[in-house]
Amino acid sequence: MFILQNFALGEWVEGTGPKTDLIHAVTGEKIGEASSHGLDFKAMLQYARRVGGPALRAYTFHQRALMLKRIAIALMERKEEFYPLSSMTGATRTDSWVDIEGGIGTFFAYASRGRREFTNERFHVEGPTEPLSKHGTFVGRHILVPMEGAAVHINAFNFPVWGMLEKLAPALLAGVPCLVKPSTTGSHLTHAVFKAILDTGELPKGALQLICGEARTLLEHVEEQDIVAFTGSAATGQKLKSAPGILQHSVSFNMEADSLNCSILGPDAVPGTEEFDLFIKEVTREMTSKSGQKCTAIRRTIVPAGLEEAVIAALAKRLGSTTIGDPTAEGVRMGPLASRAQVKSVASSAEAIRAAAERVYGGGDFAVVGADREKGSFFAPELLYCADPLNRLEPHDIEAFGPVNTVMPYRDLGEAVQLARMGRGSLVGSLITHDPKVAQEVILGAACFHGRMLVLDRTSAKESTGHGSPLPNLVHGGPGRAGGGEEMGGARGVTHYLQRVALQGSPSMITAITREWTKGAEEKQDAVHPFRKTFDELEVGDTLITKTRTITLEDVEAFAKLSGDTFYAHMNDEDARSNGVFEGRVAHGYFIVSAAAGLFVDPDLGPVLANYGLEKLRFTKPVYPGDTIHVRLTVKQKTAKDTPEGTIPQGVVEWDVEVINQHGEPVAVYSILTLVRRGDVAPVATTHAA
């Protein structure tokens, strides 16, 4: 039997006082106990702020990203330990895969994002420099710094692993310590994965704490630097969001609530089309996956008037082939609900919806494979039909958090959009159509009421992740009833745990703070060509002013012949003047970039290993034969790279490049990235330095 301990103040602690029983969803037997009584929530929050926070913030984004990666690898190696625990919650192997490996995959995704989209610093520079004065001596910049409080994560029962990991990944990457409060139902699985995370030894003290049992007075002790993220019912979320501690300290509160998501069948997707078959498959999957216990599951099925019977018949046939029972039994495709309390709740909600709809499938006796239906938490799929969905609000207001779905007709696309919007805010909506015009009208009409919208057709079907699958690189959340919150979304998810600060000052001061060179800041020139310096020797602001080069007509024609680019503006003087843009033949922009490289590149073997890329290229003025150019090359930013065993230690250097004509006007601006060897290599002076 599981006696779930809490992890508080760096120690495993068993709760005292009243305990909550943990029940096997299949057998109805007691499998454990959990209690949070005796925990000092105020001390736990202070421990996170004073111990965990400083330790995490001492790491850079890249170090925290690598930490996530190592944890994810360790969890993946132990994944088979978690599947038997997951089956006790009623989840099939497929359901568990989404929960367990989907959750671990989110850690992998944020480990990758952390190294790609954030610099190797303890803060993040966001967006371009904003000029604030006429002569450029006063500028602005935004930076993001970790909040110095604790993240309180209150999770729902339906995804004990993914629900925890999808919140932890962006929070830990941001450098914010976390208190995890899972639903007591299914918390034995959360507990096991949480312990496995701690077993890796990757996290510093205070970075993670776990509360098994009731949250009780937890939110009474939150402060202004804390962040609360909640997943669950809209009613519970609203209650927590209005807690005095949240309101008094203006605590950031992110809510992701259950919603009445819809799927719309396009008028072109008639029986016999691939789209019709995809629609039936998708609706059925969302009713039976996790036994319909998904915040993203389809609750409202919106179909063209006249196709109701065909849709209901096809859904009934597919639902009829769904085997219900013990998730570990062979052939079972749908397990029980999470608890007997959930069975009662779903039944009550379905009955309330039936005040406006008739039941067209389900509701009678049903067989259960490998288990006792009366002891377990089983509930068969139920399909309802509402003939007048524009005038009956029950299907749009009442959610049965299980395998219950209401079919409703629409007469035209305007009605379909109206019905989709009547959910008053959803996490996700889907449209199955192969007609782009239908897609544009429906999506743009319903988008403001949804956090995510899927357009599914024969082209995307094979690779689509489906209606109900939130992905770490896309936002998860929605307006209105869905909670008005937002999670994940790639780097966006990390910014929810960071404070955005607007900086103002001189370019040199902003450069000193951000360690990223700002135009107008001090430039450092010496006799050593910057390409002769190692990564460690280069400093932000190191600048090379090159010698000049006069561009000739022969250069232009030679480049045209070599590149094959014989665009008229480069080859015909009269045609170039006639277009109203140029005064005559102009040099190719890419030739100017190439010529600029010829001016600033040091050719000899040295610390620069490779050209890593070119970004943000703009041609600001034309260059004509006879014009003379030179280049200003400045170290803009340095990012140390991880060094796998057996490779050369290196870093990425971003260089600000400005190509300037004889009038002192920039003709091209861009950034280049180079891989530069790290280490102490004596610089060698060359004749290429200006």
Side-chain angles (χ1 to χ4, degrees):
M1 186 159 69
F2 303 107
I3 305 298
L4 300 190
Q5 293 183 313
N6 306 279
F7 190 71
L9 307 179
E11 296 180 351
W12 287 105
V13 182
E14 187 173 330
T16 60
K19 291 180 170 58
T20 301
D21 290 343
L22 307 179
I23 305 298
H24 197 300
V26 179
T27 66
E29 298 173 349
K30 179 178 176 179
I31 58 174
E33 296 176 340
S35 173
S36 64
H37 287 271
L39 295 182
D40 187 337
F41 292 140
K42 182 177 182 179
M44 290 175 69
L45 286 165
Q46 290 175 337
Y47 182 71
R49 298 182 197 118
R50 296 174 183 176
V51 178
L56 281 172
R57 292 194 299 273
Y59 299 154
T60 67
F61 277 99
H62 287 198
Q63 289 170 326
R64 293 192 289 262
L66 286 171
M67 177 182 71
L68 292 182
K69 181 179 180 180
R70 291 190 292 267
I71 292 172
I73 291 171
L75 292 180
M76 196 62 80
E77 290 173 349
R78 296 180 60 176
K79 66 180 181 180
E80 291 303 328
E81 299 176 24
F82 309 134
Y83 277 93
L85 302 177
S86 182
S87 68
M88 296 179 184
T89 71
T92 65
R93 176 80 187 193
T94 300
D95 295 337
S96 299
W97 179 85
V98 173
D99 187 26
I100 296 167
E101 297 187 47
I104 298 171
T106 302
F107 258 46
F108 276 119
Y110 272 94
S112 176
R113 292 264 174 176
R115 287 172 290 162
R116 286 201 327 265
E117 300 188 27
F118 293 87
T119 56
N120 199 10
E121 299 278 3
R122 290 173 293 172
F123 57 88
H124 180 60
V125 182
E126 182 184 61
T129 301
E130 298 290 343
L132 302 176
S133 64
K134 181 177 180 180
H135 298 293
T137 61
F138 186 57
V139 297
R141 199 77 193 268
H142 289 93
I143 64 169
L144 298 167
V145 297
M147 298 290 284
E148 296 195 0
V152 177
H153 293 164
I154 303 174
N155 297 320
F157 68 83
N158 52 343
F159 286 97
V161 182
W162 180 85
M164 171 174 66
L165 298 185
E166 63 97 10
K167 288 184 175 67
L168 284 182
L172 293 174
L173 181 57
V176 178
C178 304
L179 276 70
V180 178
K181 168 39 188 104
S183 167
T184 306
T185 302
S187 57
H188 65 283
L189 175 56
T190 308
H191 187 279
V193 177
F194 183 97
K195 185 177 184 303
I197 294 174
L198 293 187
D199 288 346
T200 66
E202 290 290 341
L203 292 171
K205 289 183 178 180
L208 273 190
Q209 297 181 79
L210 176 68
I211 301 168
C212 292
E214 297 178 0
R216 296 180 291 111
T217 61
L218 175 61
L219 296 187
E220 293 179 10
H221 307 291
V222 293
E223 297 177 355
E224 58 276 358
Q225 285 286 305
D226 296 330
I227 306 103
V228 177
F230 166 82
T231 299
S233 73
T236 302
Q238 292 294 343
K239 180 180 178 181
L240 296 179
K241 191 174 184 178
S242 59
I246 300 290
L247 298 176
Q248 179 183 353
H249 299 291
S250 299
V251 174
S252 173
F253 189 99
N254 187 80
M255 183 165 78
E256 185 265 288
D258 309 329
S259 59
L260 287 155
N261 312 294
C262 70
S263 187
I264 302 171
L265 181 65
D268 59 300
V270 297
T273 63
E274 292 181 59
E275 280 68 35
F276 183 86
D277 294 339
L278 287 171
F279 180 77
I280 299 302
K281 181 179 179 181
E282 196 69 19
V283 173
T284 305
R285 179 168 65 177
E286 290 303 313
M287 288 183 66
T288 57
S289 175
K290 269 284 182 175
S291 302
Q293 299 169 113
K294 292 165 60 179
C295 56
T296 53
I298 297 170
R299 308 298 182 198
R300 299 176 300 142
T301 297
I302 302 171
V303 304
L307 293 185
E308 304 100 306
E309 289 187 10
V311 168
I312 290 169
L315 287 173
K317 181 179 180 180
R318 197 169 182 96
L319 289 169
S321 66
T322 301
T323 304
I324 305 170
D326 183 341
T328 63
E330 185 176 351
V332 169
R333 297 177 59 187
M334 177 175 158
L337 300 184
S339 65
R340 294 297 299 175
Q342 196 62 21
V343 171
K344 184 177 180 180
S345 173
V346 172
S348 175
S349 296
E351 183 179 4
I353 298 171
R354 288 198 298 273
E358 62 175 309
R359 184 161 52 202
V360 292
Y361 177 84
D365 289 337
F366 60 95
V368 169
V369 175
D372 186 329
R373 194 181 79 183
E374 300 305 319
K375 292 181 179 178
S377 303
F378 294 97
F379 191 98
E382 188 168 318
L383 193 64
L384 310 177
Y385 172 66
C386 178
D388 189 18
L390 288 174
N391 295 307
R392 297 304 301 261
L393 297 180
E394 290 91 339
H396 308 292
D397 287 348
I398 302 167
E399 180 182 25
F401 199 73
V404 179
N405 192 352
T406 304
V407 176
M408 51 190 74
Y410 69 86
R411 289 174 295 182
D412 54 41
L413 290 181
E415 270 195 10
V417 169
Q418 185 178 352
L419 290 171
R421 294 161 65 108
M422 287 177 70
R424 295 179 296 124
S426 299
L427 294 172
V428 56
S430 58
L431 169 68
I432 287 72
T433 182
H434 195 53
D435 187 332
K437 292 183 178 178
V438 170
Q440 183 183 49
E441 182 173 346
V442 172
I443 297 300
L444 296 183
C448 66
F449 280 80
H450 293 79
R452 175 169 59 88
M453 298 203 76
L454 164 70
V455 181
L456 184 64
D457 68 356
R458 66 194 72 172
T459 305
S460 63
K462 288 184 179 180
E463 295 187 309
S464 170
T465 52
H467 169 102
S469 299
L471 298 171
N473 45 341
L474 296 177
V475 295
H476 179 49
R481 182 190 175 105
E486 182 183 288
E487 297 176 336
M488 300 194 297
R492 293 171 61 93
V494 183
T495 63
H496 299 318
Y497 296 91
L498 303 171
Q499 175 62 46
R500 181 175 287 104
V501 183
L503 302 181
Q504 296 172 292
S506 71
S508 292
M509 195 63 72
I510 299 300
T511 295
I513 295 169
T514 63
R515 291 200 281 270
E516 179 180 320
W517 187 79
T518 301
K519 184 175 176 59
E522 179 186 357
E523 300 172 8
K524 308 167 189 175
Q525 299 182 51
D526 58 34
V528 179
H529 192 290
F531 277 29
R532 308 309 299 169
K533 297 180 180 181
T534 66
F535 179 89
D536 304 282
E537 293 166 336
L538 285 168
E539 295 183 10
V540 171
D542 279 357
T543 299
L544 171 70
I545 306 297
T546 72
K547 62 183 180 181
T548 62
R549 172 173 177 172
T550 299
I551 306 303
T552 67
L553 187 59
E554 289 75 15
D555 290 331
V556 176
E557 292 181 343
F559 187 82
K561 183 177 181 180
L562 181 64
S563 66
D565 180 357
T566 56
F567 185 62
Y568 73 87
H570 308 309
M571 307 307 295
N572 187 297
D573 198 65
E574 183 177 344
D575 287 348
R577 285 196 302 271
S578 70
N579 73 4
V581 176
F582 302 121
E583 298 173 7
R585 292 176 67 174
V586 296
H588 304 70
Y590 297 116
F591 169 63
I592 297 304
V593 172
S594 298
L599 289 171
F600 66 69
V601 166
D602 182 271
D604 298 328
L605 178 65
V608 177
L609 305 174
N611 183 336
Y612 196 59
L614 182 151
E615 298 178 339
K616 304 171 186 175
L617 172 62
R618 294 291 184 271
F619 298 116
T620 53
K621 277 188 174 295
V623 176
Y624 299 101
D627 283 352
T628 299
I629 63 169
H630 71 277
V631 180
R632 180 190 54 74
L633 179 75
T634 304
V635 176
K636 183 176 182 179
Q637 190 176 53
K638 297 167 55 183
T639 303
K641 286 176 63 71
D642 305 315
T643 306
E645 187 176 349
T647 62
I648 297 174
Q650 58 193 249
V652 176
V653 177
E654 181 179 356
W655 308 79
D656 185 86
V657 184
E658 190 173 47
V659 185
I660 303 164
N661 66 16
Q662 67 272 24
H663 304 298
E665 302 166 324
V667 298
V669 292
Y670 51 99
S671 292
I672 60 168
L673 305 173
T674 60
L675 291 176
V676 181
R677 185 172 63 244
R678 301 189 66 177
D680 297 323
V681 177
V684 179
T686 76
T687 57
H688 297 282

